[in-house]
Amino acid sequence: MALAGLIYVLGTVGYYRARTPEIIRTARQDARAWHPLSEFSGWQIQALLAVQDPGFYRHHGIDLHTPGAGLTTLTQGLAKKLYFHPFKPGIRKLQLMLLARWVLDPLVSKEEQQELFVNLIYLGKSDGRPVIGLGEAARVYYGRTMAELTETQYLSLVAMIIAPGNFHVKDHPEANAERTRRIAQVVNGTYQPRGLMDLYYGPLDPETQKGLAPASYFPKLYDPPKE
């Protein structure tokens, strides 16, 4: 059973290597609006990577070492959007990692990965309609373009990526504001993540934790050191 699963997973690599250019073209065509990476400032991209994938330029789709990286790189997050509808845990995680490592990262430049990610990421709902992409989120939540956002407004959108329901800028403004504050500390270097799974940059209150994936939060990271 395990061998059959592994053969299936490996077989998908060749399939998606052939289909990736077509999949990317379709994703661009189907987008409501496409915002080129040039619309984002250098600081905006740097801030996004500091939170979503601090080892982005050092890895090839898989990163299990960089503090604050978590278990899903930006490349893997993009692979979820492109190849899985929807994504389900289990053997799909291994498939996802292989696709990120052997398909997306070799075939798609780092810059294009970033542009695809910022345009395809899900950022909650507004009036019952999904908000897709940071450019659309800027317009829907703030009535601004990317260039018009303040740094705090931009970080408040980045704050939603990890769990749009928990950190929704309109539905849960207090949780969003607290995560935005913590993200700002990571971006300006005053907070250094303590380990791979330090994704929230400090303890979370029980209410904010509700609905978060069990593997995404390890409160023992923040226990005081034993004397």
Side-chain angles (χ1 to χ4, degrees):
M1 185 73 174
L3 179 59
L6 180 59
I7 291 173
Y8 165 74
V9 168
L10 292 174
T12 60
V13 170
Y15 172 77
Y16 282 117
R17 281 188 71 89
R19 288 205 58 213
T20 289
E22 173 194 344
I23 290 171
I24 290 176
R25 281 195 300 272
T26 300
R28 287 177 175 272
Q29 292 167 0
D30 290 348
R32 294 174 193 155
W34 197 264
H35 298 270
L37 209 59
S38 59
E39 291 186 12
F40 293 74
S41 71
W43 178 88
Q44 288 175 332
I45 294 300
Q46 180 266 328
L48 174 69
L49 294 180
V51 175
Q52 288 304 122
D53 197 340
F56 182 66
Y57 281 106
R58 297 190 300 273
H59 68 66
H60 296 286
I62 300 172
D63 183 357
L64 299 177
H65 304 286
T66 304
L71 298 176
T72 302
T73 62
L74 183 148
T75 310
Q76 291 177 39
L78 178 58
K80 279 185 183 180
K81 298 294 179 184
L82 293 175
Y83 304 137
F84 298 94
H85 307 285
F87 177 80
K88 296 180 181 179
I91 196 170
R92 290 286 181 89
K93 178 62 178 178
L94 175 59
Q95 188 178 10
L96 175 68
M97 294 173 73
L98 290 176
L99 289 174
R101 173 63 182 88
W102 298 109
V103 179
L104 262 187
D105 202 69
L107 296 181
V108 183
S109 71
K110 292 290 189 180
E111 288 70 26
E112 187 173 9
Q113 288 181 42
Q114 292 171 54
E115 183 168 292
L116 288 161
F117 184 87
V118 300
N119 279 283
L120 299 178
I121 193 68
Y122 171 72
L123 289 163
K125 292 183 178 180
S126 177
D127 296 326
R129 184 181 182 186
V131 177
I132 307 297
L134 284 165
E136 181 179 10
R139 178 185 62 79
V140 170
Y141 296 127
Y142 290 114
R144 297 186 172 190
T145 65
M146 294 305 304
E148 293 169 340
L149 290 175
T150 67
E151 290 187 358
T152 299
Q153 288 172 337
Y154 176 74
L155 293 182
S156 76
L157 300 181
V158 174
M160 295 175 64
I161 295 175
I162 195 168
N166 296 63
F167 299 105
H168 197 285
V169 68
K170 299 297 183 184
D171 296 344
H172 300 287
E174 292 184 2
N176 179 275
E178 174 60 17
R179 178 156 174 77
T180 300
R181 182 188 69 79
R182 296 183 186 191
I183 284 175
Q185 293 181 330
V186 173
V187 172
N188 66 30
T190 58
Y191 183 90
Q192 298 294 325
R194 298 189 182 191
L196 180 71
M197 297 307 296
D198 188 2
L199 305 178
Y200 300 100
Y201 318 130
L204 294 176
D205 63 84
E207 185 63 29
T208 303
Q209 288 181 48
K210 289 180 179 178
L212 293 177
S216 71
Y217 179 63
F218 290 83
K220 287 192 175 295
L221 277 171
Y222 312 109
D223 287 348
K226 295 180 181 180
E227 296 183 358

